[in-house]
Amino acid sequence: MQIMSVTGSQKFAVLLCKFRDTKDTELHPVCFYADLFATNGSGGLNDYWRSASLGAINLDGTDVFGWQTIDDTLANYIATHPDCTDKLQGAIDAFKEVDASKYTAVIPLFNASLGDGGETTGGIVGNPADVNVTWLAHETGHIFGLEHSFDMSDRKAISWSAPGEYYDSYDIMSAMNVDGDSGHQFSPRGPLLNAANLIRMDWIEPDRIWTPRKTNSSATYDVDIVALEQPEINGFLAAKVGGVIIEFRINTGFDAGLARPAVLIHQPAEPNSVIVASDLVHFVNE
């Protein structure tokens, strides 16, 4: 497994964009987006990544700019900016005061739908429906280097996806098919990253990963694993044995949307993680 190492503050420039013909629509006040992206203790994206990375990263230093009117109509902007990279650059060009080089990535959020969005080179393009922690965590996960997660089935989430892609409901990198929470101002939120992706990012300390003392002989072990949402409890957060990674998840915190507690097994495939099915016929992955 290729190990990536992203640590410390990951600052984003969030650009709130509207058009000449949508200038009267500001979906939320600027303070809402500051809480969503940057404020500690708000239950937003900064809190999410502190929890999901086990404290390895945060979004401190993220800045929110706008609302600013782009000198164009919505329809013409879409016509003259056909892909996400174009749409991102158009927003950057409109915010002359923002030095994109000072940030990990730029995230323009538009007050009307552009028809497409998501992660692209240099940032993320967001539409009105994308203002929630689950979608934003998934797309910023791509910025940090993570790929989509899979299960072992031949299901296809949409026509262009690969078999099994987006079907690890316990991992944020399957965000098209996960159980996020409800009832929070930034819902849906969660779930966390699976342990295979945490190990890929080098976000679990080695002494919190259990491995067998003997690798060339059979043995029986009794191992206690702490839930990933509760790393403050002493103990192992994962077990790595026989080419698979074992973890325990409970439905609390950013995992509150999970249907139930579960023990999960993952294969650390490259560059994706694959959840091992307990019942492949009925698509049971826990």
Side-chain angles (χ1 to χ4, degrees):
M1 178 191 299
Q2 180 182 355
I3 301 296
M4 295 175 279
S5 185
V6 178
T7 59
S9 178
Q10 306 297 312
K11 301 188 300 182
F12 295 114
V14 181
L15 314 180
L16 304 180
C17 306
K18 52 187 181 177
F19 301 99
R20 288 202 309 261
D21 54 341
T22 68
K23 63 182 181 180
D24 293 332
T25 301
E26 296 183 0
L27 302 176
H28 302 282
V30 172
C31 61
F32 172 92
Y33 298 93
D35 287 344
L36 171 59
F37 282 91
T39 304
N40 290 303
S42 68
L45 197 63
N46 198 352
D47 290 335
Y48 174 85
W49 277 116
R50 286 177 182 273
S51 182
S53 71
L54 303 177
I57 67 170
N58 60 72
L59 307 189
D60 293 354
T62 290
D63 293 314
V64 179
F65 302 89
W67 291 89
Q68 184 159 301
T69 302
I70 294 175
D71 188 20
D72 205 347
T73 64
L74 171 62
N76 193 64
Y77 190 85
I78 293 172
T80 56
H81 299 77
D83 61 30
C84 276
T85 303
D86 297 327
K87 293 176 175 66
L88 173 69
Q89 189 59 53
I92 292 173
D93 291 343
F95 284 75
K96 303 296 186 185
E97 73 276 22
V98 178
D99 182 354
S101 68
K102 294 182 177 179
Y103 297 93
T104 301
V106 178
I107 306 178
L109 298 176
F110 293 86
N111 72 340
S113 178
L114 301 178
D116 64 347
E119 184 266 341
T120 187
T121 302
I124 299 163
V125 175
N127 291 295
D130 302 328
V131 182
N132 62 80
V133 169
T134 293
W135 189 89
L136 290 166
H138 177 88
E139 299 301 333
T140 51
H142 284 311
I143 294 292
F144 302 144
L146 289 160
E147 301 291 344
H148 294 156
S149 45
F150 286 69
D151 76 356
M152 302 176 73
S153 74
D154 58 1
R155 294 177 291 176
K156 298 187 72 171
I158 47 181
S159 60
W160 49 261
S161 61
E165 187 175 9
Y166 296 110
Y167 279 110
D168 182 353
S169 63
Y170 288 86
D171 183 68
I172 195 64
M173 299 314 294
S174 279
M176 293 185 70
N177 285 295
V178 296
D179 295 322
D181 73 0
S182 60
H184 192 276
Q185 65 173 335
F186 304 134
S187 291
R189 303 179 306 161
L192 298 173
L193 286 171
N194 65 47
N197 276 330
L198 284 170
I199 292 172
R200 183 189 308 282
M201 298 300 294
D202 199 25
W203 286 344
I204 299 184
E205 294 294 331
D207 63 359
R208 302 206 69 180
I209 304 171
W210 181 87
T211 56
R213 293 186 294 272
K214 299 179 180 180
T215 58
N216 296 317
S217 61
S218 60
T220 300
Y221 299 95
D222 185 5
V223 181
D224 291 327
I225 298 178
V226 175
L228 284 181
E229 180 55 52
Q230 298 179 322
E232 70 279 4
I233 298 175
N234 292 330
F236 296 111
L237 290 168
K240 191 175 182 181
V241 58
V244 299
I245 298 167
I246 303 165
E247 68 191 74
F248 176 48
R249 306 287 287 276
I250 59 175
N251 46 346
T252 189
F254 284 105
D255 271 348
L258 301 181
R260 55 190 165 272
V263 174
L264 309 174
I265 300 174
H266 286 87
Q267 296 173 341
E270 188 64 44
N272 314 92
S273 66
V274 178
I275 191 168
V276 177
S278 59
D279 182 350
L280 189 55
V281 174
H282 298 98
F283 306 126
V284 177
N285 295 323
E286 54 198 51

